[in-house]
C-alpha cells in the first residue's frame, strides 16, 4: 500500500490525468485479489476477514485522500475538518468482509456552506467503482438518519453495525448519539419485524444437503441476528461482552469455534468460485474439502468428512443463536397483562403449556436424563412443540456415563409413545441423541450424496417419523388405522430407525437390521416384536424399488417380493413405512404417480398371502372378465361387442386396470375409425389415445422429449385397435395443451420424422428376458438420464415393428432405470442383437 501511495503522489506531481490515476488504482486492486489465495490458505476465517477488511479500509482511505487532494490542491484542510465521514456497514462494518462480498459503506455528511461536498462524494464513488470495487453505497446527511431507518428495517440493521473508516470524528461522535437514540426507539416493533424476517429466511433456506452458509439454517445471518438483538437490547458491539451475563464461556467458545469454521468455508467458497458464492454445492465440495485440508480415510472420503463438519457447525450456531435470541428478546416482548393468563396455563411447577407448546424459565435447574425422559413421558398428548426455553433447559441435562437398566426401561416407554415425533425432535435439538439412543451415533450429521435425499440422515429419519405420525394420504391412513397398537409402534420405530445402518462400509440394510435387533433387545422389547421390526428395516425400500423398477403384474415378481415380506400384516406396515420414507425425502416426491404404483403393487401382492393361484395371469384375467360380465353396462351391450371385449388381445389390460376402466376403453374403441385422444393436466400430464390408424410413436415421444415420462401402457384391443396411456412426471402450462394436441395429430402421419439425439447406452447395462411371461419379453435398461432416451428406443422398436406392451421409466441419482415389456410377436427376440447394437450406437467405448 505504501508503494501505491508513492506512485499516486508521483502521478499527481506530474499532472497525470484522472484516467491514468484510476488505472493505477484498478491494477493494484486486481493484483491484490489475484494474490489473495495464499492469504486465505494461511489464515483462519476471522483472521482473514480482519486482514481483508483492514486492507480495504486503507485502499478506500487512499482513494478518498486522492479525491480531496484533487479538489483542494495545496489548500487541503485536515480530514476531520471536512464534514464527511466514511462509515462501514453490514459485514464490512462487523469486520467480516469476504473476498467477493459487497463493500457496504455510508458516506455521512453535514451540508455546510463553503464545501463542494456533492462533487467530492460523487467523484469518490465513481472512482471506487472504476477500480473494480463492489461498492454498495448510501449517502446520508446526519439529520436524515433518524428518518431513513424508519423507511426500511434493512437500513436500521445495517446502520447498527456501523464502524468508522475515515473522516470527520466530530461528525462520527454526533452520529453515535443518533445511533443510541435509534437503538432505543421502537425496539419492540424492530424486534418483531426482524424475527418474522428471520423466520421467513429460514423457511426459504432450511438445512439441506447443499446448505446456504450465509442465509440458511445455522448460517452467518443467524449470528448477525443474535448480534442485532444484543446491540439493540444491551448496547454491546461484541456479543462476547455478554459472557457471564447471558451465557457461559464454554457455550460461547463452542459457538465461536463453529462460526470460525463457517467463516473459513465462506472464504474458501469465494476463493474457489472467484465470485460471491454462499452455497456448498456437490460440484464444488471436492475442491472445498481439499482447500480446507480434509483427507480421505479408510472409512470416510474427505468430502463426507467436510460436509459432516459443516452440518455439525451449522447445528451448533443455530441452536446457540436461536436460544440466545429468544432469551434476549423475552424481556423486550414481555407484557405485564400476560402474567394472569400465564397462571391459567401452568402445567406444573416451572412448566407452562400454551397453544400445545411447552415453556419453562431459562433459569430452571437441570435434572438427570432419566427424570427428564419421565417428565416427557408424562406430558399430555397435545404437546406438539417445545419452546427454546425448554430446549435450552433439556440441553443442560445431567448425563450418565452408562445407561442403567432403569434408564433403558424409561427409553422403551418413551419409544412406545403415540406422539413420539415431537419428543424425538426435542431430544435431537437438545443434543441428547447419543445419550438416549447410542446406536444412532453414526447417523448424526451424516451427509447423503446419492442425488436423491435432500437432507442428512438424521434429519431425514426424524422427518420420516413425523410422516408416520401425520399421514396425509387418506388411503394409507386407512391402512394405518387398521393396524394394532403394537404394529403402529413398529411402524413408527422402523420409520425412525430405517437408515440406522448408514455411515458404515457394509450394506446399510443388513447393518440396520442387526443394529435394530441389538438396540430393541437392550430396551427389553419382546422377541417377536424385534423380529418383525428388524425384517422391515432390512427391506424398508423394497416396496419402492419393486413398484418403480419391476413388472408388478408378473407372478414371479410378486412371489419374490411377498416371500421377503412374509405376512399380510408386514405388507401393511411396509406400505405405510414406504410412504413415510418417500414423503420425508422432499416435497412432492410422493406424488400421484408414485402413489399409484405403490397402490397397484400393494393390491397385486395381497392375493399371495391368501392363495398363490390367484397370481396366475390367466386366472386373474378370467376373474376380471367375470367382474366385467356382471356389470349392468356390459349386459346392455350388443352380443358381438361383448365377445370382442372378452377376446381383447392384451392380457395386461385385465391385470392392470379395473373392470369399469376396461369397459370404458372398450366401448369408446367401438366407434373409432381413425383415432381419438384425451389430455388431462391435473397433478401430471397424461395423454390417452385409442387408435385404429397407425401411430408414429417414435415421432410423438421425440417431439415431447422435453418432458420426463413416468410410465406408458399400450393395450391391444380388438379390430386392430390399440389404447395408449402415456403419463409424464409433471404437468404443463395450460397454454401448452394446444401445442401438444398438434403433436398428437401429426403423429398419425407415418412420414413425419424428428431429429433425435443418440443417447449413450452401454450393452452391459441392457438385460433381456425373452421368457418373462408366456406372452411378454422384458428389457431392463440402466443409463445416464438423457433427454429423449425413451423416444430413441421407441423409434428403433417402430422400425422393427416391435410392439411395446408397457414401459416403466424411473430416474434416480441421475440414472434412468427403465423396464420395457414387449409383446412376443416374433419381431423382438429374433432381432434382439441387431436392436441392441442400434440402441448402443452412441457408446463410443464400443
Amino acid at each position: 500500500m505504501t508503494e501505491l501511495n508513492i506512485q499516486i503522489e508521483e502521478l499527481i506531481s506530474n499532472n497525470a490525468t484522472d484516467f491514468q490515476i484510476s488505472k493505477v488504482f484498478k491494477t493494484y486492486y486486481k493484483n491484490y485479489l489475484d494474490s489473495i489465495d495464499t492469504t486465505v490458505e494461511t489464515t483462519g476465517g476471522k483472521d482473514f476477514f480482519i486482514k481483508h477488511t483492514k486492507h480495504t479500509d486503507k485502499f478506500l482511505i487512499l482513494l478518498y485522500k486522492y479525491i480531496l487532494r484533487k479538489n483542494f490542491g495545496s489548500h487541503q484542510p485536515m480530514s476531520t475538518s471536512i464534514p464527511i465521514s466514511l462509515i462501514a456497514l453490514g459485514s464490512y462494518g462487523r469486520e467480516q468482509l469476504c473476498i467477493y462480498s459487497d463493500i457496504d459503506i455510508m458516506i455521512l455528511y453535514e451540508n455546510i456552506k463553503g464545501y463542494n461536498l456533492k462533487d467530492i462524494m460523487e467523484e469518490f464513488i465513481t472512482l471506487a467503482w472504476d477500480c473494480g470495487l463492489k461498492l454498495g453505497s448510501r449517502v446520508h446527511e446526519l439529520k436524515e438518519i433518524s428518518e431513513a431507518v424508519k423507511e426500511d428495517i434493512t437500513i436500521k440493521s445495517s446502520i447498527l453495525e456501523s464502524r468508522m473508516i475515515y473522516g470527520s470524528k466530530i461528525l462520527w461522535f454526533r452520529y453515535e448519539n443518533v445511533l443510541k437514540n435509534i437503538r432505543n426507539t421502537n425496539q419492540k416493533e424492530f424486534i418483531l419485524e426482524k424475527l418474522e424476517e428471520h423466520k421467513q429466511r429460514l423457511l426459504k433456506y432450511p438445512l439441506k444437503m447443499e446448505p446456504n452458509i450465509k442465509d440458511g439454517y445455522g448460517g452467518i445471518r443467524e449470528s448477525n441476528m443474535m448480534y442485532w438483538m444484543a446491540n439493540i437490547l444491551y448496547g454491546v458491539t461484541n456479543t462476547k461482552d455478554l459472557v457471564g451475563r447471558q451465557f457461559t464461556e464454554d457455550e460461547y467458545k463452542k459457538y465461536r469455534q463453529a462460526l470460525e469454521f463457517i467463516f473459513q468455508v465462506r472464504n474458501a467458497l469465494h476463493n474457489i468460485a472467484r465470485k460471491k458464492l454462499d452455497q456448498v454445492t456437490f460440484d464444488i465440495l471436492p475442491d472445498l474439502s481439499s482447500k480446507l485440508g480434509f483427507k480421505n480415510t479408510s472409512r470416510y472420503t474427505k468430502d463426507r468428512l467436510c460436509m459432516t463438519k459443516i452440518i455439525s457447525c451449522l447445528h451448533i450456531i443455530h441452536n446457540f443463536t436461536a436460544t440466545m435470541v429468544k432469551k434476549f428478546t423475552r424481556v423486550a416482548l414481555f407484557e405485564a397483562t400476560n402474567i394472569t393468563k400465564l397462571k391459567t396455563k401452568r402445567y406444573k411447577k416451572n412448566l407452562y403449556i400454551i397453544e400445545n407448546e411447552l415453556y419453562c424459565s431459562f433459569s430452571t435447574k437441570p435434572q438427570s436424563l432419566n427424570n427428564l425422559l419421565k417428565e416427557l413421558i408424562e406430558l399430555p398428548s397435545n404437546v406438539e412443540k417445545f419452546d427454546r426455553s425448554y430446549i435450552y433447559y433439556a440441553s443442560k441435562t445431567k448425563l450418565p456415563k452408562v445407561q442403567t437398566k432403569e434408564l433403558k426401561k424409561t427409553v422403551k416407554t418413551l419409544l412406545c409413545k403415540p406422539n413420539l415425533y415431537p419428543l424425538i425432535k426435542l431430544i435431537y435439538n437438545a443434543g441428547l441423541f447419543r445419550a438416549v439412543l447410542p446406536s444412532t451415533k453414526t447417523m448424526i450429521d451424516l451427509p447423503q450424496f446419492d442425488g436423491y435425499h435432500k437432507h442428512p440422515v438424521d434429519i431425514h429419519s426424524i422427518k420420516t417419523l413425523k410422516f408416520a405420525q401425520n399421514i396425509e394420504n387418506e388411503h394409507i391412513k386407512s391402512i394405518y388405522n387398521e393396524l394394532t397398537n403394537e404394529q403402529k409402534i413398529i411402524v413408527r420405530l422402523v420409520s425412525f430407525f430405517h437408515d440406522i445402518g448408514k455411515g458404515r462400509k457394509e450394506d446399510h440394510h443388513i447393518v440396520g437390521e442387526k443394529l435394530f435387533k441389538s438396540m430393541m433387545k437392550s430396551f427389553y422389547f419382546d422377541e417377536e416384536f424385534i423380529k418383525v421390526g428388524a425384517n422391515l428395516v432390512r427391506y424398508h425400500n423394497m416396496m419402492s424399488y419393486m413398484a418403480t423398477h419391476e413388472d408388478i403384474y408378473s407372478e414371479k415378481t410378486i412371489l419374490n417380493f411377498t416371500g421377503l415380506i412374509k405376512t399380510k400384516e408386514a405388507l401393511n406396515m411396509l406400505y405405510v413405512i414406504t410412504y413415510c420414507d418417500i414423503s420425508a425425502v422432499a416435497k412432492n416426491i410422493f406424488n400421484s404417480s408414485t402413489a399409484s404404483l405403490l397402490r397397484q403393487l400393494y393390491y397385486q401382492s395381497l392375493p399371495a398371502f391368501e392363495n398363490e393361484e390367484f397370481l396366475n395371469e390367466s386366472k386373474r384375467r378370467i376373474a376380471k372378465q367375470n367382474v366385467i360380465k356382471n356389470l349392468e353396462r356390459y349386459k346392455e351391450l350388443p352380443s358381438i361387442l361383448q365377445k370382442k371385449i372378452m377376446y381383447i388381445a392384451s392380457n395386461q389390460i385385465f391385470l392392470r386396470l379395473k373392470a369399469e376402466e376396461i369397459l370404458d376403453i372398450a366401448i369408446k374403441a367401438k366407434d373409432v375409425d381413425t383415432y381419438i385422444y384425451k389430455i388431462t393436466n391435473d397433478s401430471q400430464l397424461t395423454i390417452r389415445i385409442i387408435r385404429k390408424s397407425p401411430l408414429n410413436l417414435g415421432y410423438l415421444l421425440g417431439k415431447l422429449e422435453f418432458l420426463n415420462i413416468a410410465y406408458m401402457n399400450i393395450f391391444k384391443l380388438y379390430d386392430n385397435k390399440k389404447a395408449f396411456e402415456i403419463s409424464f412426471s409433471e404437468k404443463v402450462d395450460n397454454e401448452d395443451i394446444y401445442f401438444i394436441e398438434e403433436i398428437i395429430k401429426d403423429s398419425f402421419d407415418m412420414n413425419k420424422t424428428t431429429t433425435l439425439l443418440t443417447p449413450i447406452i452401454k450393452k452391459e447395462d441392457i438385460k433381456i428376458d425373452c421368457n418373462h411371461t408366456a406372452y411378454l419379453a422384458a428389457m431392463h435398461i440402466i443409463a445416464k438420464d438423457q433427454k429423449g432416451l425413451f423416444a430413441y428406443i421407441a423409434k428403433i422398436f417402430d422400425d422393427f415393428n416391435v410392439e411395446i406392451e408397457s414401459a416403466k421409466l424411473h430416474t434416480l441419482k441421475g440414472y434412468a432405470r427403465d423396464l420395457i415389456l414387449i409383446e412376443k410377436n416374433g419381431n423382438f427376440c429374433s432381432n434382439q442383437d441387431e436392436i441392441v447394437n442400434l440402441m448402443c450406437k452412441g457408446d463410443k467405448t464400443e
Side-chain angles (χ1 to χ4, degrees), residues 744-756:
I744 293 172
K745 292 170 186 175
D746 287 343
S747 298
F748 286 92
D749 181 349
M750 298 307 290
N751 294 316
K752 287 278 187 182
T753 59
T754 184
T755 304
L756 295 171

Side-chain angles (χ1 to χ4, degrees), residues 624-714:
K624 191 68 64 71
Q625 285 174 327
N626 289 334
V627 175
I628 293 171
K629 287 176 181 177
N630 288 323
L631 295 174
E632 288 301 319
R633 282 200 298 156
Y634 176 83
K635 293 175 183 177
E636 294 168 2
L637 295 174
S639 60
I640 190 163
L641 182 55
Q642 289 179 343
K643 286 182 180 179
K644 286 181 179 181
I645 293 171
M646 289 300 111
Y647 287 105
I648 281 175
S650 172
N651 243 18
Q652 293 288 303
I653 195 171
F654 291 99
L655 303 180
R656 292 170 181 266
L657 303 185
K658 295 176 181 176
E660 289 280 5
E661 293 170 336
I662 297 168
L663 194 56
D664 279 342
I665 292 171
I667 292 171
K668 285 176 183 174
K670 177 175 70 75
D671 298 321
V672 173
D673 291 323
T674 53
Y675 67 89
I676 60 172
Y677 68 87
K678 182 181 179 182
I679 297 172
T680 56
N681 190 39
D682 301 323
S683 58
Q684 61 195 107
L685 174 69
T686 300
I687 299 171
R688 293 179 177 86
I689 299 171
I690 299 176
R691 64 83 175 157
K692 187 171 185 180
S693 301
L695 173 66
N696 192 337
L697 183 62
Y699 174 80
L700 174 64
L701 298 180
K703 297 297 286 185
L704 296 174
E705 68 179 2
F706 60 92
L707 295 168
N708 291 318
I709 304 171
Y711 65 86
M712 180 172 71
N713 291 320
I714 304 174

